[in-house]
Amino acid sequence: MEPLFKEAFQGTNGRSCATCHVPEDNFTLTPDHVARLLATNPDDPLFAAIDADDPAAETLTFEHLKKGLVRVWLTLPDNMDVIDDAGNVTTPPDRKIFVWRGCPRSPTRR
């Protein structure tokens, strides 16, 4: 069972369960772990462009990730739309939005 947790499946983004559920940090992703990893291995699969604050930026930043936040994509149900402050429907055509999900157990996050 442990290899399935620690090794990425072939043909995926290179992440395994243990990429975000860090065993030595009680299976959470802490800001301290992210900072150490970014300093020692910026090519780690955790730092894929999709999790940059702006994935289209020329120079990627990971300020949200450094706070222990992970980008999660959600597909909206058919009976739900995104509305802007003026009341306009701004739901993307693919009905997908992202949110930044905080790790539930991250004592150093501020």
Side-chain angles (χ1 to χ4, degrees):
M1 186 70 145
E2 189 173 333
L4 292 174
F5 185 79
K6 291 188 173 185
E7 296 172 15
F9 290 117
Q10 290 183 346
T12 63
N13 61 10
R15 293 180 180 175
S16 69
C17 298
T19 301
C20 299
H21 302 275
V22 184
E24 52 273 10
D25 288 330
N26 297 312
F27 299 94
T28 62
L29 183 65
T30 66
D32 289 340
H33 174 81
V34 173
R36 280 192 313 273
L37 192 57
L38 186 58
T40 60
N41 186 10
D43 294 326
D44 187 274
L46 181 63
F47 303 109
I50 192 75
D51 287 315
D53 296 334
D54 178 359
E58 188 171 322
T59 303
L60 298 177
T61 60
F62 298 98
E63 295 307 312
H64 284 76
L65 194 56
K66 289 177 194 173
K67 292 178 174 65
L69 300 173
V70 178
R71 188 187 309 260
V72 177
W73 287 89
L74 304 171
T75 301
L76 296 174
D78 291 338
N79 65 345
M80 182 181 284
D81 281 306
V82 178
I83 310 291
D84 67 14
D85 290 340
N88 302 306
V89 175
T90 59
T91 306
D94 64 1
R95 305 199 55 76
K96 292 184 180 181
I97 62 168
F98 73 83
V99 296
W100 290 100
R101 179 186 181 273
C103 299
R105 193 179 172 283
S106 185
T108 58
R109 186 178 38 184
R110 296 183 183 153

